[in-house]
Amino acid sequence: VCFLFLNMHLGIKFTSWVDYYDSLPTSSIVNKGKIEQMLDSFDHSLSSIDAKQAMTRNKDLVFLAKTGLDNTLGLFHRFDTSGGTVADPDESCAFILGLNNNSAILATPDANTLFRDPHTTAHKVAKRGDIMNCTTIDMVHALKDSDTQTIRARNFIPVSPFLIRPISVSIDSNKGNPEAVFFDMIIAIKDFDDSNKEDTSFNEKAVVKCKLFLHWLYVAMNNETDSGIAQLHFAPCSNDELLVGSKQFEHALFV
């Protein structure tokens, strides 16, 4: 919020959500040394209530889920709630679906599905090294489960800030196809590490710290049932308080 007020005071405007998230101090902090901490803060150990509270607090983050038709991937951000008080006991929630500010909508998700506890049985996944060795989409398709690597995947995962732009482009160009997006993220992670290898302010290698994200995408690609990562249904938001708050925020933000 303070960052937004500073931008308003200086007259700074953005042309897209991607540019906005690129500019946030949080993005630089996470990219340089808190990627794994960010991912772990939304892992399977959180209760559904804690996961909802964490998402509400972390409005500087973008999240990935199966928001499209036929279990395809999409991005959402700025999850917020309204109500749940003595004066207004009925609680509503909403998030912004998409990063193109001309087409993004404020939507109310099925919160039970969004925050549902991960499946009790962990999914076997491919080894991180095997994933990062993929140089073609055919190699991604040929990845095999490891007997030593598993994940209990939530129905959403936060996106490392350096991946927001490439994953947005990939989702648009591949119509959210999980396999294609997975491959593009492998390339984007390699490129990020390569471009910052001489910069000592980057304290960790994304190829190592993005392990949970890669394993989440592996499950998204291989399991299209609700025992994997469930498709998230939503409807246009009809809550006046949330609609007004979102419009005011966007008006202050964009050209």
Side-chain angles (χ1 to χ4, degrees):
V1 175
C2 292
F3 180 74
L4 175 62
F5 286 161
L6 178 61
N7 283 344
M8 291 171 64
H9 180 71
L10 296 176
I12 297 173
K13 295 275 190 172
F14 301 95
T15 58
S16 72
W17 282 109
V18 172
D19 290 339
Y20 167 70
Y21 284 110
D22 270 351
S23 74
L24 292 179
T26 297
S27 295
S28 178
I29 291 168
V30 172
N31 285 340
K32 290 184 176 182
K34 292 185 180 293
I35 294 172
E36 189 172 31
Q37 181 178 332
M38 179 201 68
L39 292 169
D40 286 346
S41 66
F42 289 92
D43 71 7
H44 68 273
S45 65
L46 268 69
S47 69
S48 58
I49 293 174
D50 288 341
K52 183 178 181 179
Q53 291 175 343
M55 186 180 287
T56 305
R57 289 194 303 269
N58 284 278
K59 288 185 171 58
D60 288 352
L61 300 180
V62 173
F63 297 88
L64 179 66
K66 287 187 173 181
T67 62
L69 298 174
D70 300 321
N71 287 290
T72 51
L73 299 172
L75 298 169
F76 68 89
H77 50 114
R78 294 199 61 78
F79 178 86
D80 207 353
T81 61
S82 173
T85 65
V86 173
D88 183 11
D90 294 331
E91 184 175 279
S92 297
C93 67
F95 56 42
I96 298 174
L97 185 66
L99 290 177
N100 184 330
N101 57 303
N102 293 317
S103 59
I105 64 168
L106 191 68
T108 295
D110 175 356
N112 289 332
T113 298
L114 178 58
F115 297 111
R116 187 171 65 201
D117 290 337
H119 200 270
T120 54
T121 302
H123 291 272
K124 288 184 178 180
V125 292
K127 292 181 178 178
R128 178 190 58 80
D130 292 343
I131 293 171
M132 293 308 302
N133 283 334
C134 291
T135 56
T136 67
I137 199 163
D138 288 336
M139 292 178 70
V140 170
H141 185 71
L143 285 166
K144 300 297 183 184
D145 294 349
S146 167
D147 289 332
T148 62
Q149 301 290 305
T150 61
I151 180 179
R152 291 183 59 205
R154 287 195 170 277
N155 288 331
F156 67 88
I157 194 166
V159 178
S160 297
F162 77 89
L163 289 175
I164 291 174
R165 188 178 298 275
I167 200 170
S168 179
V169 170
S170 180
I171 287 172
D172 287 346
S173 61
N174 295 299
K175 298 181 179 179
N177 177 271
E179 189 174 80
V181 173
F182 189 15
F183 176 64
D184 286 348
M185 293 308 95
I186 293 170
I187 302 303
I189 290 169
K190 291 177 181 177
D191 288 346
F192 177 78
D193 277 345
D194 187 60
S195 65
N196 293 295
K197 62 184 178 182
E198 304 298 333
D199 189 338
T200 57
S201 67
F202 285 81
N203 300 323
E204 55 190 31
K205 293 293 184 183
V207 69
V208 175
K209 300 303 182 179
C210 285
K211 178 180 177 180
L212 185 62
F213 184 75
L214 292 167
H215 283 167
W216 189 96
L217 282 169
Y218 182 86
V219 176
M221 176 182 74
N222 286 295
N223 191 325
E224 294 188 352
T225 70
D226 273 6
S227 66
I229 294 164
Q231 183 170 346
L232 181 62
H233 299 284
F234 57 87
C237 178
S238 59
N239 180 278
D240 289 340
E241 181 182 341
L242 293 171
L243 284 165
V244 169
S246 179
K247 286 180 181 178
Q248 289 177 340
F249 187 86
E250 292 184 47
H251 180 74
L253 210 60
F254 295 120
V255 175

Short mmCIF file of all heavy atoms in Angstrom, two decimals, residues 227-250:
data_model
loop_
_atom_site.label_atom_id
_atom_site.label_comp_id
_atom_site.label_asym_id
_atom_site.label_seq_id
_atom_site.Cartn_x
_atom_site.Cartn_y
_atom_site.Cartn_z
N SER A 227 -7.93 -35.62 -7.81
CA SER A 227 -6.93 -36.12 -6.88
C SER A 227 -5.57 -35.48 -7.14
O SER A 227 -4.64 -35.62 -6.35
CB SER A 227 -6.81 -37.65 -6.97
OG SER A 227 -6.30 -38.04 -8.23
N GLY A 228 -5.46 -34.80 -8.27
CA GLY A 228 -4.24 -34.06 -8.59
C GLY A 228 -4.44 -32.60 -8.22
O GLY A 228 -4.57 -32.24 -7.07
N ILE A 229 -4.48 -31.74 -9.25
CA ILE A 229 -4.75 -30.33 -9.05
C ILE A 229 -6.09 -30.04 -9.70
O ILE A 229 -6.26 -30.20 -10.92
CB ILE A 229 -3.63 -29.46 -9.65
CG1 ILE A 229 -2.33 -29.70 -8.88
CG2 ILE A 229 -4.01 -27.98 -9.61
CD1 ILE A 229 -1.10 -29.22 -9.57
N ALA A 230 -7.06 -29.66 -8.90
CA ALA A 230 -8.44 -29.54 -9.37
C ALA A 230 -8.63 -28.29 -10.23
O ALA A 230 -7.99 -27.27 -10.01
CB ALA A 230 -9.39 -29.51 -8.19
N GLN A 231 -9.55 -28.40 -11.19
CA GLN A 231 -9.95 -27.22 -11.95
C GLN A 231 -10.71 -26.28 -11.04
O GLN A 231 -11.58 -26.70 -10.27
CB GLN A 231 -10.82 -27.62 -13.14
CG GLN A 231 -11.20 -26.44 -14.01
CD GLN A 231 -11.86 -26.85 -15.31
OE1 GLN A 231 -11.82 -28.01 -15.70
NE2 GLN A 231 -12.48 -25.90 -15.99
N LEU A 232 -10.39 -25.00 -11.13
CA LEU A 232 -10.98 -23.99 -10.26
C LEU A 232 -12.09 -23.26 -10.99
O LEU A 232 -11.85 -22.60 -12.00
CB LEU A 232 -9.90 -23.01 -9.80
CG LEU A 232 -10.35 -21.90 -8.84
CD1 LEU A 232 -10.87 -22.49 -7.54
CD2 LEU A 232 -9.18 -20.95 -8.56
N HIS A 233 -13.29 -23.37 -10.48
CA HIS A 233 -14.43 -22.67 -11.08
C HIS A 233 -14.61 -21.30 -10.40
O HIS A 233 -14.26 -21.11 -9.24
CB HIS A 233 -15.69 -23.51 -10.94
CG HIS A 233 -15.60 -24.83 -11.64
ND1 HIS A 233 -15.71 -24.96 -13.01
CD2 HIS A 233 -15.38 -26.08 -11.17
CE1 HIS A 233 -15.58 -26.22 -13.36
NE2 HIS A 233 -15.37 -26.93 -12.25
N PHE A 234 -15.18 -20.37 -11.14
CA PHE A 234 -15.37 -19.02 -10.62
C PHE A 234 -16.55 -18.37 -11.34
O PHE A 234 -17.04 -18.87 -12.35
CB PHE A 234 -14.10 -18.18 -10.81
CG PHE A 234 -13.65 -18.11 -12.24
CD1 PHE A 234 -14.15 -17.12 -13.10
CD2 PHE A 234 -12.74 -19.02 -12.75
CE1 PHE A 234 -13.75 -17.06 -14.42
CE2 PHE A 234 -12.35 -18.97 -14.08
CZ PHE A 234 -12.84 -17.99 -14.92
N ALA A 235 -16.99 -17.25 -10.80
CA ALA A 235 -18.05 -16.45 -11.42
C ALA A 235 -17.68 -14.98 -11.30
O ALA A 235 -16.87 -14.60 -10.44
CB ALA A 235 -19.39 -16.71 -10.70
N PRO A 236 -18.22 -14.13 -12.17
CA PRO A 236 -17.93 -12.70 -12.03
C PRO A 236 -18.31 -12.20 -10.64
O PRO A 236 -19.34 -12.57 -10.10
CB PRO A 236 -18.82 -12.06 -13.11
CG PRO A 236 -19.01 -13.14 -14.12
CD PRO A 236 -19.07 -14.42 -13.34
N CYS A 237 -17.46 -11.38 -10.06
CA CYS A 237 -17.71 -10.87 -8.71
C CYS A 237 -18.91 -9.92 -8.73
O CYS A 237 -19.03 -9.06 -9.60
CB CYS A 237 -16.48 -10.14 -8.19
SG CYS A 237 -16.70 -9.41 -6.56
N SER A 238 -19.78 -10.08 -7.74
CA SER A 238 -20.96 -9.22 -7.63
C SER A 238 -20.98 -8.45 -6.31
O SER A 238 -21.97 -7.78 -6.00
CB SER A 238 -22.24 -10.05 -7.76
OG SER A 238 -22.30 -11.05 -6.75
N ASN A 239 -19.90 -8.53 -5.54
CA ASN A 239 -19.84 -7.85 -4.26
C ASN A 239 -19.43 -6.39 -4.48
O ASN A 239 -18.34 -6.11 -5.00
CB ASN A 239 -18.84 -8.56 -3.35
CG ASN A 239 -18.72 -7.91 -1.99
OD1 ASN A 239 -18.01 -6.91 -1.83
ND2 ASN A 239 -19.42 -8.45 -1.00
N ASP A 240 -20.28 -5.46 -4.09
CA ASP A 240 -20.04 -4.04 -4.36
C ASP A 240 -18.76 -3.53 -3.71
O ASP A 240 -18.00 -2.77 -4.33
CB ASP A 240 -21.24 -3.21 -3.87
CG ASP A 240 -22.48 -3.40 -4.73
OD1 ASP A 240 -22.32 -3.85 -5.88
OD2 ASP A 240 -23.58 -3.12 -4.25
N GLU A 241 -18.51 -3.94 -2.48
CA GLU A 241 -17.32 -3.45 -1.78
C GLU A 241 -16.05 -3.89 -2.49
O GLU A 241 -15.11 -3.09 -2.67
CB GLU A 241 -17.32 -3.97 -0.34
CG GLU A 241 -16.12 -3.50 0.48
CD GLU A 241 -16.10 -4.05 1.90
OE1 GLU A 241 -17.17 -4.49 2.37
OE2 GLU A 241 -15.03 -4.03 2.53
N LEU A 242 -16.00 -5.15 -2.90
CA LEU A 242 -14.82 -5.66 -3.58
C LEU A 242 -14.68 -5.04 -4.97
O LEU A 242 -13.55 -4.73 -5.41
CB LEU A 242 -14.88 -7.18 -3.68
CG LEU A 242 -14.79 -7.93 -2.34
CD1 LEU A 242 -15.08 -9.41 -2.52
CD2 LEU A 242 -13.42 -7.73 -1.70
N LEU A 243 -15.78 -4.84 -5.66
CA LEU A 243 -15.74 -4.23 -6.98
C LEU A 243 -15.23 -2.79 -6.92
O LEU A 243 -14.37 -2.39 -7.71
CB LEU A 243 -17.13 -4.26 -7.61
CG LEU A 243 -17.60 -5.61 -8.16
CD1 LEU A 243 -19.11 -5.58 -8.42
CD2 LEU A 243 -16.86 -5.95 -9.44
N VAL A 244 -15.74 -2.03 -5.98
CA VAL A 244 -15.32 -0.63 -5.84
C VAL A 244 -13.84 -0.54 -5.46
O VAL A 244 -13.07 0.24 -6.03
CB VAL A 244 -16.18 0.10 -4.79
CG1 VAL A 244 -15.59 1.47 -4.46
CG2 VAL A 244 -17.61 0.26 -5.30
N GLY A 245 -13.42 -1.38 -4.50
CA GLY A 245 -12.02 -1.36 -4.08
C GLY A 245 -11.07 -1.71 -5.21
O GLY A 245 -10.02 -1.08 -5.38
N SER A 246 -11.44 -2.69 -6.02
CA SER A 246 -10.60 -3.10 -7.14
C SER A 246 -10.52 -2.00 -8.20
O SER A 246 -9.44 -1.70 -8.72
CB SER A 246 -11.15 -4.38 -7.76
OG SER A 246 -10.37 -4.79 -8.86
N LYS A 247 -11.64 -1.39 -8.51
CA LYS A 247 -11.65 -0.32 -9.52
C LYS A 247 -10.82 0.88 -9.06
O LYS A 247 -10.10 1.49 -9.86
CB LYS A 247 -13.09 0.10 -9.81
CG LYS A 247 -13.87 -0.91 -10.64
CD LYS A 247 -15.30 -0.45 -10.88
CE LYS A 247 -16.07 -1.48 -11.70
NZ LYS A 247 -17.48 -1.07 -11.92
N GLN A 248 -10.90 1.21 -7.79
CA GLN A 248 -10.11 2.33 -7.28
C GLN A 248 -8.62 2.05 -7.35
O GLN A 248 -7.83 2.92 -7.72
CB GLN A 248 -10.53 2.63 -5.84
CG GLN A 248 -11.90 3.26 -5.69
CD GLN A 248 -12.32 3.47 -4.24
OE1 GLN A 248 -11.78 2.84 -3.33
NE2 GLN A 248 -13.29 4.35 -4.03
N PHE A 249 -8.25 0.82 -7.01
CA PHE A 249 -6.84 0.44 -7.07
C PHE A 249 -6.32 0.52 -8.50
O PHE A 249 -5.26 1.08 -8.76
CB PHE A 249 -6.68 -0.97 -6.51
CG PHE A 249 -5.24 -1.41 -6.36
CD1 PHE A 249 -4.53 -1.11 -5.21
CD2 PHE A 249 -4.60 -2.11 -7.37
CE1 PHE A 249 -3.20 -1.50 -5.06
CE2 PHE A 249 -3.28 -2.50 -7.25
CZ PHE A 249 -2.59 -2.21 -6.09
N GLU A 250 -7.09 -0.04 -9.44
CA GLU A 250 -6.67 -0.03 -10.83
C GLU A 250 -6.62 1.38 -11.40
O GLU A 250 -5.73 1.71 -12.21
CB GLU A 250 -7.59 -0.92 -11.67
CG GLU A 250 -7.45 -2.41 -11.34
CD GLU A 250 -8.30 -3.29 -12.23
OE1 GLU A 250 -8.25 -3.08 -13.46
OE2 GLU A 250 -9.00 -4.17 -11.72
#
